Amino acid sequence: MRARVGAASTVLWVNEIRRARTNDVRAIRALVQPLAETRVLVAKDAVTYYEALQEFRVVEDDRGKLIGCGALHVMWEDVAEVRTLAVDPSVTGRGIGGKLLETLLEDARELGVDRVFCLTFEVDFFTRHGFTTIDGQAVDPEVYGQLLRSYDEGVAEFLDLDRVKPNTLGNTRMLRIL
């Protein structure tokens, strides 16, 4: 299924948002690279993308170029995080990021997740999609204690641990209840 996005004068045809495949990892890294350089997203090793590949959704344009990606990482029975949401700068503002986010939220619903969390500099974007800024922890102390056992750096960011502060300085913690 293809969809039109953008104003009439700048129509872009995109293929259906789909699950990522191993041959998408290079393109995902290429999308993330400029955002990592400006510290909007955290750079990751290729192996990290391969290990989390089943969490990713991607979208291609009508030429087969990957123009957007995003991941949903389940942290606990009722909490997941939107990660690595990125859109090619040449097509931002055309609704691609919003479509990816809504797809990830639908994935969360299908998995039984009630709350979706993000750490972001794009507060306005996430606010438009029903997220609200939160202070403190989004989980109770018992779950917090369990999550401390995770080796995942994203979980450490979610828990606001000191060891990851340099990577997240200045971003905003947001939550959406489904």
Side-chain angles (χ1 to χ4, degrees):
M1 182 176 107
R2 291 172 17 129
R4 273 175 76 152
V5 295
S9 62
T10 58
V11 169
L12 173 72
W13 287 93
V14 297
N15 292 322
E16 181 178 5
I17 294 171
R18 62 170 172 79
R19 297 229 176 256
R21 298 185 287 258
T22 56
N23 63 352
D24 294 322
V25 169
R26 284 194 175 113
I28 291 169
R29 291 185 77 206
L31 276 175
V32 171
Q33 179 64 33
L35 297 170
E37 289 172 1
T38 59
R39 294 177 49 100
V40 172
L41 290 177
V42 177
K44 298 175 186 155
D45 293 325
V47 68
T48 304
Y49 289 106
Y50 286 110
E51 289 174 345
L53 192 64
Q54 68 279 5
E55 299 175 355
F56 274 86
R57 294 287 191 149
V58 296
V59 63
E60 298 174 327
D61 67 12
D62 56 347
R63 300 174 307 261
K65 178 185 176 192
L66 196 134
I67 56 172
C69 67
L72 181 75
H73 179 78
V74 176
M75 295 182 162
W76 201 251
E77 69 180 313
D78 64 341
V79 178
E81 179 185 8
V82 170
R83 293 183 173 178
T84 320
L85 187 61
V87 174
D88 186 303
S90 69
V91 294
T92 57
R94 298 186 188 188
I96 295 166
K99 290 180 186 311
L100 274 165
L101 179 58
E102 291 304 320
T103 300
L104 295 172
L105 295 174
E106 185 55 37
D107 289 347
R109 286 182 193 95
E110 289 176 12
L111 292 168
V113 171
D114 298 326
R115 300 177 296 155
V116 178
F117 171 82
C118 69
L119 291 163
T120 186
F121 291 101
E122 302 296 334
V123 175
D124 292 341
F125 170 81
F126 281 95
T127 299
R128 285 193 307 273
H129 292 277
F131 284 74
T132 57
T133 301
I134 62 169
D135 292 316
Q137 286 302 322
V139 294
D140 64 45
E142 180 182 328
V143 173
Y144 181 90
Q146 291 291 325
L147 290 175
L148 282 174
R149 297 177 182 166
S150 174
Y151 294 106
D152 184 276
E153 287 298 306
V155 172
E157 287 182 274
F158 171 74
L159 297 177
D160 202 22
L161 300 180
D162 289 338
R163 69 183 168 91
V164 294
K165 284 288 188 195
N167 292 333
T168 61
L169 188 61
N171 63 9
T172 301
R173 301 161 65 79
M174 300 186 80
L175 184 71
R176 176 163 167 187
I177 307 295
L178 300 180

